[in-house]
């Protein structure tokens, strides 16, 4: 995995296993955990873009991983467990939890995460794209929850949580129950991705959107992401309003609201404080 920190405050994460269509072995997932923890702890990083090297975004779990790939020690309890357990069931569960919890970290990350889907995003790669906040895709990108075609549930790695919230329950049911692979044009039509972008411009488009977000107050961005996803699960309008009201009061205490209004009146740019 390669990490590039841009001067704009955007960080680009590239899954760098093109020989495997960027399929995720346990070592790579452990590295992803480490990188996400580092990003979450760096207030100067304001937004994140995730993409894949070569012609693919992510083909999910690496089913052809060699023994030397299974060296993920210490990144998470699940990673450490992989080195110690002998039970096949326990080992599979630990590997499952290692990947699923990485995608959960993306969803819960303080910074917004944008996926630049440059090729196949299937299985766990589909779940990875869904865990991001915004998705752009190249024309050749494909998507699919394919595990049902291999005898197990298509509900995997957070897919059954994210997909219905993004495209609706009925569309989600059809995609999960058939396991069919669909293209970028359909993904755009059903609202799964923001737009289809020419391959050569895809990463730049995603970075530009990340920089547009990064121009705002870091606290406001964090609270907007967190409140937005929490209220998706709100049991009532009143619950959502209560969360929103408390967040607005908390954000207004920084003094940035008054500074922004003053800058607007003076026709000058607002300088945001640190997180």
């Amino acid at each position: 995995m390669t990490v590039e920190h841009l001067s704009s405050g955007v960080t680009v994460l590239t899954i760098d296993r093109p020989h495997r269509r960027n399929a995720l072995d346990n070592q790579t997932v452990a590295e992803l955990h480490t990188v996400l923890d580092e990003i979450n702890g760096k207030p100067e990083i304001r937004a994140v873009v995730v993409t894949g090297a070569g012609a693919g975004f992510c083909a999910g779990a690496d089913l052809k991983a060699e023994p030397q790939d299974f060296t993920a020690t210490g990144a998470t309890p699940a990673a450490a467990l992989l080195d110690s357990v002998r039970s096949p069931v326990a080992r599979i569960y630990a590997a499952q939890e290692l990947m699923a919890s990485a995608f959960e970290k993306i969803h819960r990350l303080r910074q917004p995460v944008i996926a630049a889907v440059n090729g196949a995003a299937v299985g766990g790669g589909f779940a990875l794209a869904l865990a991001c906040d915004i998705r752009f895709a190249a024309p050749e990108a494909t998507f699919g929850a394919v595990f049902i075609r291999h005898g197990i549930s298509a509900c995997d790695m957070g897919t059954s949580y994210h997909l219905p919230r993004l495209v609706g329950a009925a569309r989600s049911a059809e995609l999960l129950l058939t396991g069919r692979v669909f293209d970028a044009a359909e993904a755009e039509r059903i609202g799964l991705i923001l737009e289809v972008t020419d391959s050569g411009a895809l990463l730049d488009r995603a970075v530009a959107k990340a920089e547009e977000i990064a121009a705002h107050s870091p606290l406001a961005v964090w609270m907007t992401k967190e409140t937005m996803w929490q209220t998706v699960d709100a049991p009532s309008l009143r619950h959502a309003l209560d969360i929103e009201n408390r967040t607005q009061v908390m954000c207004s205490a920084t003094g940035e609201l008054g500074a922004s209004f003053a800058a607007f009146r003076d026709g000058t740019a607002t300088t945001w404080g640190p997180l």
Side-chain angles (χ1 to χ4, degrees), residues 2-14 35 39-40 42-51 109-116 134 136 202-216 218 221:
T2 61
V3 182
E4 182 182 7
H5 300 293
L6 306 182
S7 59
S8 58
V10 173
T11 291
V12 179
L13 304 183
T14 304
V35 170
I39 287 173
N40 205 40
K42 292 182 177 179
E44 65 271 21
I45 298 176
R46 309 284 288 278
V48 179
V49 174
V50 177
T51 193
L109 200 67
R110 172 173 52 80
Q111 299 91 340
V113 182
I114 298 174
I134 299 170
F136 293 90
L202 176 65
L203 185 57
D204 289 342
R205 181 73 179 93
V207 168
K209 182 58 67 177
E211 290 175 341
E212 184 181 346
I213 294 169
H216 299 304
V221 170

Side-chain angles (χ1 to χ4, degrees), residues 19-197:
H19 61 294
R20 295 287 203 193
R21 293 198 303 159
N22 299 314
L24 299 172
D25 62 290
N26 290 331
Q27 181 65 39
T28 304
V29 178
E31 291 174 9
L32 178 59
H33 273 282
T34 300
V35 170
L36 292 172
D37 288 342
E38 291 174 352
I39 287 173
N40 205 40
K42 292 182 177 179
E44 65 271 21
I45 298 176
R46 309 284 288 278
V48 179
V49 174
V50 177
T51 193
F57 177 71
C58 178
D62 190 348
L63 302 180
K64 298 180 179 179
E66 300 296 331
Q68 58 266 29
D69 289 325
F70 295 89
T71 57
T73 303
T76 67
L81 185 62
L82 280 168
D83 288 337
S84 61
V85 300
R86 294 189 178 184
S87 164
V89 172
R91 189 171 183 82
I92 291 171
Y93 184 85
Q96 183 86 5
E97 175 58 24
L98 180 66
M99 187 179 295
S101 59
F103 298 167
E104 182 185 18
K105 279 184 180 179
I106 289 173
H107 182 63
R108 292 284 299 147
L109 200 67
R110 172 173 52 80
Q111 299 91 340
V113 182
I114 298 174
V117 184
N118 54 309
V122 295
F126 185 44
L128 171 59
L130 295 180
C132 298
D133 299 291
I134 299 170
R135 285 154 294 280
F136 293 90
E140 59 269 27
T142 55
F143 303 85
V146 298
F147 280 118
I148 197 169
R149 294 158 56 178
H150 300 284
I152 60 175
S153 171
C155 300
D156 187 59
M157 305 290 175
T159 298
S160 65
Y161 178 87
H162 292 299
L163 190 59
R165 287 164 172 78
L166 295 172
V167 303
R171 290 189 188 276
S172 179
E174 188 271 331
L175 294 172
L176 293 176
L177 291 170
T178 63
R180 67 180 178 87
V181 175
F182 57 101
D183 62 17
E186 181 175 352
E188 183 179 35
R189 188 174 72 250
I190 65 177
L192 184 67
I193 65 172
L194 190 62
E195 65 183 52
V196 179
T197 303

